[in-house]
Amino acid sequence: MSEALSPPLPPFEPLPWLQPHWQRLWQTRRNDRLGHAMLLSGPAGVGKRHFADVLSAALMCTQPGTDGKPCGTCADCKLMASGSHPDLVHLGPDPESKSGEIKADAVRELCSRQSLTANRGPRAVLQIAPAEAMNPFAANSLLKTLEEPADSTLLMLISEDPSRLPATVTSRCQRVTMLPPDADTALAWLSARLDNAQRRDIGLLLRLAQDAPLRVLAAADAHWLRLRDESFRQFQAVAEGREDPLKTAGAWQQQEPALVLEWLAGWVSDLLRIGRDRNANYLSNPDLRAELAALSGRLRPAAAHQLLQQIFKARALATSTMNKQLLFESLLVRWASLTTRTH
Ligand SMILES: [Zn+2]
């Protein structure tokens, strides 16, 4: 597989599948109805943050085009591109914090009058991502700003899971819901950005990334398929009693837990699909059909359902505070006991 990283996204151009959102929002802005707060939501890898940055640049740009897109050459655009525009503030979880939450103090500081005032242009943009990381106190602090918005500020909440935000917050935001593109659009866009070796795997990567193009780019860059294949071999070996579940848990905890849990959920879901119908049309991992079919004979459907529930629960707990070794141990010991005893 190639070592080359995919090129950076164009800083002043919305992604093709988000152009309709752009046109709508730009029309809203021309009518002076953009409001004070918006909630950009959609699955991971659809392009929410990039869209928020292009829109922020357009609001800062001193000479935007007739389509509202930032010129890319003025002083404000250059500051945006270098990530140092003083009127754009990002808030996310404190990387030092173990909880992965956005805390009330951080929101209060962000919303203080100082940062709400634009330095260069007519207004400041505050981006909060992922907005669902705000704990209830933080969301409550934000609510005060939403209730008394300043004309000089646009608040952008960016969220993969807006259902975790209080309705009191979401009801005060203009909603923009972004969806992944259709397969043709995604394939065309990705083909132009990946090298030959990466292009061979596009179809499979798109399926594993649930059609989100930026996840495919990240996956290609991180050699995702190779990691998934290695993890799957270990999953197989545990079922066949060839590998110690505790040792495998040790290997898995070195990886991104959310990703491994997503793969696990995909494998067990595929085992259930094959258990119902050996020739099941849709699989999350079509390239592993033969291996999964061989494993499916080892697992009773009721047990697979229970294991899947356990994986979903683990996903809900997948924060930086959990003990990853213990989490994977409990799943893999269960998986071993379900599969190795039946045969
Ligand atoms: Zn500009």
Side-chain angles (χ1 to χ4, degrees):
M1 207 176 273
S2 162
E3 296 294 322
L5 292 189
S6 47
L9 300 178
F12 303 114
E13 178 67 32
L15 296 166
W17 56 94
L18 301 178
Q19 296 279 353
H21 287 298
W22 181 269
Q23 281 148 17
R24 227 177 352 259
L25 277 176
W26 197 249
Q27 195 57 46
T28 311
R29 161 124 207 252
R30 283 164 56 129
N31 297 337
D32 214 12
R33 304 176 74 101
L34 207 51
H36 300 288
M38 58 175 67
L39 170 57
L40 309 176
S41 65
V46 77
K48 301 179 292 301
R49 290 190 197 210
H50 178 260
F51 188 90
D53 283 342
V54 180
L55 184 59
S56 303
L59 295 171
M60 311 289 176
C61 177
T62 51
Q63 46 195 26
T66 47
D67 53 4
K69 289 175 191 165
C71 73
T73 54
C74 73
D76 287 274
C77 280
K78 283 182 180 154
L79 283 168
M80 286 298 292
S82 67
S84 53
H85 199 295
D87 291 342
L88 175 63
V89 186
H90 290 100
L91 179 64
D94 178 357
E96 303 287 308
S97 147
K98 282 191 185 154
S99 69
E101 288 181 336
I102 298 176
K103 301 226 166 83
D105 284 352
V107 172
R108 272 197 291 272
E109 195 189 319
L110 180 77
C111 295
S112 68
R113 289 293 128 189
Q114 192 92 44
S115 54
L116 285 181
T117 312
N119 291 287
R120 289 178 58 91
R123 66 163 139 193
V125 176
L126 313 183
Q127 293 183 9
I128 302 185
E132 67 271 22
M134 283 189 291
N135 69 23
F137 304 108
N140 200 41
S141 294
L142 186 70
L143 195 55
K144 295 198 180 89
T145 302
L146 288 171
E147 282 165 346
E148 299 163 19
D151 279 339
S152 58
T153 309
L154 176 66
L155 188 68
M156 291 183 188
L157 301 183
I158 300 166
S159 177
E160 275 172 39
D161 189 359
S163 68
R164 286 170 56 198
L165 288 165
T168 44
V169 167
T170 54
S171 64
R172 286 176 167 85
C173 298
Q174 180 178 356
R175 298 286 299 262
V176 182
T177 306
M178 301 177 181
L179 297 173
D182 60 63
D184 288 345
T185 308
L187 286 172
W189 187 80
L190 284 164
S191 297
R193 304 187 66 84
L194 296 175
D195 63 31
N196 284 336
Q198 293 170 326
R199 240 176 262 146
R200 276 200 303 274
D201 298 323
I202 288 186
L204 179 58
L205 282 169
L206 260 175
R207 184 168 294 196
L208 290 171
Q210 283 149 25
D211 298 328
L214 303 194
R215 286 193 80 199
V216 172
L217 287 188
D221 287 349
H223 308 310
W224 219 36
L225 277 184
R226 197 179 66 206
L227 291 176
R228 182 204 62 145
D229 289 350
E230 265 170 37
S231 302
F232 183 75
R233 302 293 159 227
Q234 290 159 330
F235 179 71
Q236 246 181 331
V238 168
E240 290 162 2
R242 290 185 284 112
E243 189 159 342
D244 176 11
L246 305 191
K247 192 177 147 222
T248 301
W252 286 8
Q253 61 121 0
Q254 320 259 349
Q255 298 190 33
E256 180 67 43
L259 198 55
V260 179
L261 288 168
E262 192 176 311
W263 292 336
L264 259 178
W267 301 331
V268 176
S269 300
D270 280 349
L271 288 174
L272 278 163
R273 292 181 183 115
I274 292 172
R276 273 196 301 273
D277 171 7
R278 243 186 135 64
N279 302 313
N281 251 337
Y282 180 88
L283 292 183
S284 299
N285 303 269
D287 59 320
L288 300 176
R289 182 180 287 273
E291 293 88 337
L292 287 162
L295 279 178
S296 75
R298 294 177 168 268
L299 190 66
R300 286 173 298 108
H305 274 293
Q306 283 168 9
L307 184 64
L308 195 56
Q309 291 309 315
Q310 195 183 344
I311 295 167
F312 287 151
K313 272 192 201 138
R315 272 167 62 170
L317 291 173
T319 67
S320 50
T321 47
M322 73 178 174
N323 182 322
K324 292 167 204 151
Q325 173 78 28
L326 283 182
L327 178 117
F328 286 126
E329 270 181 31
S330 70
L331 285 170
L332 282 162
V333 167
R334 183 87 181 275
W335 166 242
S337 74
L338 292 173
T339 45
T340 48
R341 265 186 219 155
T342 44
H343 284 252

